[in-house]
Amino acid sequence: MAANTWDASAWDARYREAQGGAETRLWSALPPAIVIDTVPAWTPGRALDLATGDGRTAIWLATQGWNVTGVDFSAEAIDLARKHADDAGAAVSWLVADAVSWSPEERFDLVTIMYLQLPEAELRHVLARAAGWVAPGGHLLVVGHDRLNIGTGAPGPGNPDILYTPEILRSSVGTLDVLRCETVGRDLATDPEGPDDAHAHAHGADAPARIALDTVLIAAAQP
Ligand SMILES: C[S@@+](CC[C@H](N)C(=O)[O-])C[C@H]1O[C@@H](n2cnc3c(N)ncnc32)[C@H](O)[C@@H]1O
């Protein structure tokens, strides 16, 4: 199967194209529902949103009192994120950097990684590094498209090498305590990743799926 990964310039082109089209956002304005449902239980502190895209999760966290850094290797994505943050009146530190090689100088009370698409070996590498950036007592929250989506008609990437499994997540986060790690159904109507979910075009199935399968990990660092 052809590789379905994108380098930074390909993501730049995708964000530029979205701005010129009818759909000006590639992703939803709100973060994934699991972020909205989970994060309020934790005391706001320093947060990192890795592969932030145009910033939906970072901006929402900032509105909830978190001191947020949003990182993406697409400069176009970060430009858009800045605009969305200005519109929302949210203060976020934005950074253009590659999650595979960049290292922060601080630790974070929360690290979020939403739908980062990387070949499995690179994803494991990034997860292991990100786990090490969680401050004592802090949390890591990861969501990705699950490999079980293949053939269901759910929107999203069709290349299994960039899809997630609970095993990949569970075994990549080192000494963090895994609080939750599983495949979950996401209702495309109420929790869309972006406009594509609303259209719900099929990958290899006759009928579009109304549920997509995500892999979710919530892990905590020892206090
Ligand atoms: C599917 S989008 C998700 C964006 C955002 N997390 C969200 O949920 O709206 C994946 C993002 O990962 C970024 N990305 C992919 N590989 C990356 C890397 N190696 N370092 C930093 N960002 C990366 C892309 O530029 C893109 O913005």
Side-chain angles (χ1 to χ4, degrees):
M1 179 172 295
N4 189 18
T5 51
W6 301 61
D7 60 17
S9 61
W11 277 107
D12 278 341
R14 206 171 158 192
Y15 282 105
R16 260 196 308 272
E17 189 184 343
Q19 288 182 79
E23 313 273 21
T24 54
R25 278 182 179 269
L26 274 182
W27 320 118
S28 296
L30 286 174
I34 188 146
V35 173
I36 296 172
D37 293 344
T38 306
V39 169
W42 303 327
T43 305
R46 298 153 297 172
L48 170 68
D49 185 38
L50 201 58
T52 192
D54 62 359
R56 61 183 176 136
T57 297
I59 292 166
W60 182 85
L61 288 170
T63 67
Q64 305 302 301
W66 292 81
N67 181 1
V68 189
T69 301
V71 174
D72 200 287
F73 73 173
S74 162
E76 293 282 343
I78 292 296
D79 276 354
L80 280 170
R82 276 206 179 89
K83 285 182 197 143
H84 295 326
D86 285 350
D87 291 346
V92 175
S93 299
W94 301 109
L95 188 64
V96 177
D98 190 332
V100 174
S101 51
W102 172 76
S103 290
E105 287 170 3
E106 56 180 324
R107 295 294 172 260
F108 300 92
D109 304 297
L110 172 62
V111 177
T112 51
I113 308 176
M114 301 292 118
Y115 302 106
L116 172 61
Q117 298 165 15
L118 287 174
E120 182 177 331
E122 284 181 35
L123 178 64
R124 286 180 179 275
H125 169 75
V126 168
L127 291 170
R129 285 156 43 83
W133 303 338
V134 180
H139 292 88
L140 173 66
L141 174 50
V142 183
V143 180
H145 297 288
D146 196 283
R147 228 171 249 182
L148 294 176
N149 280 301
I150 292 174
T152 65
N159 176 359
D161 194 40
I162 60 167
L163 294 173
Y164 287 47
T165 69
E167 189 279 330
I168 292 173
L169 297 192
R170 183 182 293 279
S171 62
S172 300
V173 297
T175 58
L176 295 188
D177 286 337
V178 175
L179 307 178
R180 182 178 175 195
C181 185
E182 59 185 336
T183 301
V184 298
R186 175 170 53 84
D187 189 324
L188 296 169
T190 58
D191 189 8
E193 187 190 6
D196 274 3
D197 280 2
H199 308 320
H201 54 246
H203 279 284
D206 290 340
R210 288 171 37 233
I211 299 288
L213 298 173
D214 287 346
T215 323
V216 168
L217 171 106
I218 302 172
Q222 294 285 338

